[in-house]
Amino acid sequence: MMLQLSGVHAHYGHIHALRGIDLSVQVGEVVTLIGANGAGKSTLLMSLFGQPRVSAGRIVFDNEDITRLPTHVIARRDISLVPEGRRIFPRMTVLENLQMGAVMADPDNLHVDLKRMYALFPILEERLEQRAGTLSGGEQQMLAIARALMARPKLLLLDEPSLGLAPLYIKKIFQTIRELNEDHGMTILLIEQNAHHALRAAHRGYVMQHGQITMTGTGRDLLASAEVRAAYLEGGHAAA
Amino acid sequence: MALALQQLINGLTLGAVYGLIAIGYTMVYGIIGMINFAHGDIYMVSAFIAVTGFTLLTAFGVTSVPFALLVVLIVAVLFTSVYGWAVERLAYRPLRGSTRLAPLISAIGMSIFLQNMVQLTQGARVKPIPPMITGGIDVLTTDGFTARLSYSQILIVLVTVALLAAFTWLITRTSFGRQQRACEQDRTMTALLGIDVDRTISLTFMLGASLAAVAGVMVTMYYGVVDFYIGFVAGIKAFTAAVLGGIGSLPGAMLGGLIIGLIEAFWSNYLSAEYKDVATFSILILVLMFRPSGLLGRPEVEKV
């Protein structure tokens, strides 16, 4: 088992954002978490790192209870996050952003890993000395993913990587997710509003509503489910 | 002509010192978005360490000035780093996540504490030391006035330039510098990459304190007198320098320091020495009114 959440509760100020979440990710899986805006998806990912700290429940990663560890200590485990809104460092160059991703990694791997990132996203190599804030949205997203991969994680967490991107970039991002999983065996937990793409890319999926998991199943089953279709697919993204 | 040149020399020397202190303000502001009001007193503590150090070394028969200076610099940097660390640990960290005003008040409390501690242990009187570096170069004589560049002024400028170069390298080229800048831009994200943000903030306070320590030692050597109140005045002037240059900007802090130093030197000479502080603080007010982002600062709103 790569990741296991049991009975996780969390609060954002006065909002009870997570209400008893049970979720697991197996080694080698792509799992997606879909749900409307404000359902608590991003909070769930951030709570894995103690931001916010969970008020009840247990989080186990790679056979270790990480529930109470400080944020930076959790981040030094083999777990990397591509956060909501990308959060690249805008006043640093592309190269510096990538180096930041590798801060805790073995320095001997730096050059090999940079090469791997250039192979994955050739545009980053062209923009190496450019300030990251000047990149387009799609390029920033690729940078955020590459930065997360520089730490050589076993589990990659992606928060809405397709949000606000042009269709061409969305295709590229999902193609990369598939590649990372199939060719490199990376375990992935993916949050998406673009339920159609996400469920097709995932082995399993969870549906989240008002801080709770309301449905779970294989990607194919959820895609076919009438409830999911009505709530998340036929509302607008179905055609994408 | 020679008189103006002399003021230029004096102003640049003074400005270098203000600049070194200003860097501490600007770095701390950059990383936690707050002014460290105890920073000027760290500089004062360093000046006292210098007086004690020089006196002790002389008492033990050390006559080599470069050796004495080096020893005192190292001791002052070590001690004040600990002070810088303690200020952050005691006045800022417990209040992180509190209102913005709370740490400001506790920092002013730290400042009062440091001043009183030094006053109690060292006495309220001005402490002198004999001049350490004498002599200089006569640069220019006109109308019976000779402009003189003293060796201690040369030393101050050289040390400042060397420190700035080392510091720029540290911030722009090293892994620590990247982590420091990352914390300035997005602390949560920096932690999500595995970096201990608290440690980076502590180190930033210590680095700022070290630079103020060097400034304190050099000023002691330059003027030959210290008292427990110098930190307050120099601190506010260096703060003005940091604001003038653009708070958060390292080159800005140095530029602001030089400008403040020059204004003070020329104002004292041509207008009135008694009112030189009025000139400095008028600049602070004018900058805050008309250009709050300073000369090299970036505006608060940034397009991302």
Side-chain angles (χ1 to χ4, degrees):
Chain A
M1 190 74 71
M2 184 67 87
L3 179 72
Q4 174 117 45
L5 284 78
S6 8
V8 167
H9 287 260
H11 297 259
Y12 245 132
H14 296 295
I15 301 162
H16 193 174
L18 303 180
R19 304 159 180 253
I21 299 286
D22 294 305
L23 180 149
S24 64
V25 181
Q26 309 277 352
V27 176
E29 262 190 325
V30 177
V31 173
T32 186
L33 183 65
I34 60 173
N37 242 337
K41 307 187 297 292
S42 295
T43 306
L44 192 148
L45 281 200
M46 290 297 280
S47 74
L48 297 180
F49 293 90
Q51 305 262 354
R53 197 57 62 207
V54 302
S55 41
R58 222 165 95 90
I59 303 168
V60 177
F61 171 71
D62 215 3
N63 299 319
E64 180 190 15
D65 188 339
I66 60 167
T67 321
R68 302 278 155 217
L69 296 181
T71 302
H72 69 273
V73 176
I74 299 170
R76 287 177 192 182
R77 303 295 183 257
D78 299 315
I79 177 168
S80 283
L81 171 67
V82 179
E84 184 180 23
R86 308 183 274 266
R87 296 180 90 150
I88 48 138
F89 300 109
R91 296 191 296 279
M92 286 189 177
T93 65
V94 168
L95 177 62
E96 286 176 328
N97 268 276
L98 293 173
Q99 285 171 314
M100 282 303 297
V103 161
M104 293 302 146
D106 184 346
D108 292 343
N109 293 335
L110 184 70
H111 279 279
V112 185
D113 287 351
L114 282 174
K115 289 244 159 59
R116 282 197 303 135
M117 293 313 132
Y118 304 155
L120 202 55
F121 304 116
I123 191 77
L124 294 183
E125 191 171 11
E126 289 169 37
R127 303 252 190 274
L128 224 45
E129 296 301 324
Q130 206 169 313
R131 274 160 52 117
T134 64
L135 300 181
S136 76
E139 290 164 353
Q140 288 189 12
Q141 189 65 60
M142 292 185 212
L143 177 58
I145 295 174
R147 180 181 63 183
L149 292 175
M150 287 298 287
R152 297 194 168 187
K154 285 185 198 160
L155 174 62
L156 180 66
L157 310 167
L158 294 154
D159 194 342
E160 306 239 13
S162 76
L163 190 69
L165 300 191
L168 198 68
Y169 280 124
I170 298 183
K171 214 174 142 194
K172 167 78 185 163
I173 300 283
F174 277 99
Q175 186 193 326
T176 307
I177 292 171
R178 190 159 300 154
E179 233 174 81
L180 285 171
N181 177 252
E182 285 171 8
D183 304 346
H184 304 278
M186 189 165 294
T187 311
I188 294 172
L189 176 57
L190 167 71
I191 286 187
E192 263 297 336
Q193 287 214 37
N194 195 331
H196 182 75
H197 265 125
L199 289 172
R200 281 212 316 190
H203 300 109
R204 287 191 304 120
Y206 290 88
V207 179
M208 201 168 168
Q209 235 174 349
H210 305 301
Q212 287 172 314
I213 302 285
T214 53
M215 224 192 289
T216 178
T218 64
R220 200 176 310 232
D221 287 349
L222 288 175
L223 260 178
S225 136
E227 261 175 276
V228 172
R229 293 196 74 86
Y232 305 107
L233 294 174
E234 275 143 24
H237 288 305
Chain B
M1 188 57 207
L3 192 60
L5 183 65
Q6 185 67 60
Q7 296 318 319
L8 184 70
I9 293 169
N10 294 351
L12 287 177
T13 313
L14 196 57
V17 171
Y18 289 152
L20 281 181
I21 309 174
I23 288 176
Y25 280 109
T26 230
M27 282 190 63
V28 163
Y29 183 85
I31 200 161
I32 58 171
M34 277 177 228
I35 304 297
N36 175 12
F37 275 107
H39 186 57
D41 298 293
I42 299 265
Y43 153 85
M44 178 271 295
V45 165
S46 156
F48 270 90
I49 293 171
V51 170
T52 315
F54 286 137
T55 313
L56 275 179
L57 286 171
T58 317
F60 281 106
V62 175
T63 48
S64 157
V65 170
F67 176 73
L69 201 58
L70 194 68
V71 170
V72 167
L73 269 178
I74 292 171
V75 171
V77 163
L78 288 179
F79 264 88
T80 44
S81 301
V82 175
Y83 274 101
W85 176 83
V87 167
E88 194 273 334
R89 204 69 188 79
L90 296 175
Y92 282 91
R93 197 179 297 181
L95 294 169
R96 208 173 290 158
S98 156
T99 62
R100 279 178 73 85
L101 212 52
L104 216 65
I105 294 166
S106 70
I108 292 172
M110 275 308 263
S111 157
I112 296 170
F113 168 77
L114 287 175
Q115 278 180 34
N116 283 277
M117 184 187 76
V118 171
Q119 188 185 356
L120 278 174
T121 54
Q122 304 289 318
R125 253 183 249 163
V126 169
K127 285 210 177 236
I129 56 160
M132 302 205 25
I133 301 174
T134 49
I137 307 160
D138 292 342
V139 189
L140 181 73
T141 306
T142 51
D143 308 325
F145 183 87
T146 304
R148 202 170 155 76
L149 181 59
S150 75
Y151 291 133
S152 55
Q153 288 175 322
I154 296 176
L155 182 72
I156 289 180
V157 171
L158 284 183
V159 168
T160 305
V161 169
L163 275 179
L164 270 187
F167 212 69
T168 308
W169 174 81
L170 179 76
I171 295 297
T172 56
R173 295 271 175 268
T174 67
S175 179
F176 170 75
R178 276 195 297 276
Q179 293 174 34
Q180 210 272 342
R181 282 181 288 142
C183 283
E184 285 187 359
Q185 296 180 31
D186 190 337
R187 262 191 277 163
T188 305
M189 189 61 230
T190 307
L192 288 172
L193 294 173
I195 291 143
D196 187 345
V197 172
D198 282 341
R199 182 174 157 271
T200 311
I201 293 176
S202 285
L203 282 170
T204 303
F205 271 81
M206 291 168 79
L207 274 174
S210 312
L211 292 183
V214 176
V217 171
M218 291 197 302
V219 159
T220 307
M221 178 203 77
Y222 184 51
Y223 287 127
V225 290
V226 295
D227 65 64
F228 70 94
Y229 205 58
I230 57 167
F232 178 73
V233 180
I236 292 203
K237 283 182 186 165
F239 170 62
T240 306
V243 172
L244 172 63
I247 192 100
S249 154
L250 288 182
M254 207 57 225
L255 178 68
L258 289 178
I259 294 174
I260 297 289
L262 286 171
I263 288 175
E264 227 184 274
F266 279 91
W267 185 287
S268 305
N269 189 62
Y270 292 103
L271 295 161
S272 150
E274 284 81 28
Y275 286 101
K276 66 177 200 266
D277 294 354
V278 173
T280 311
F281 300 135
S282 305
I283 291 173
L284 178 60
I285 293 166
L286 290 175
V287 171
L288 287 175
M289 279 170 74
F290 296 109
R291 200 179 157 83
S293 60
L295 296 172
L296 302 183
R298 49 171 196 280
E300 274 301 309
V301 185
E302 168 144 337
K303 190 176 153 239
V304 180

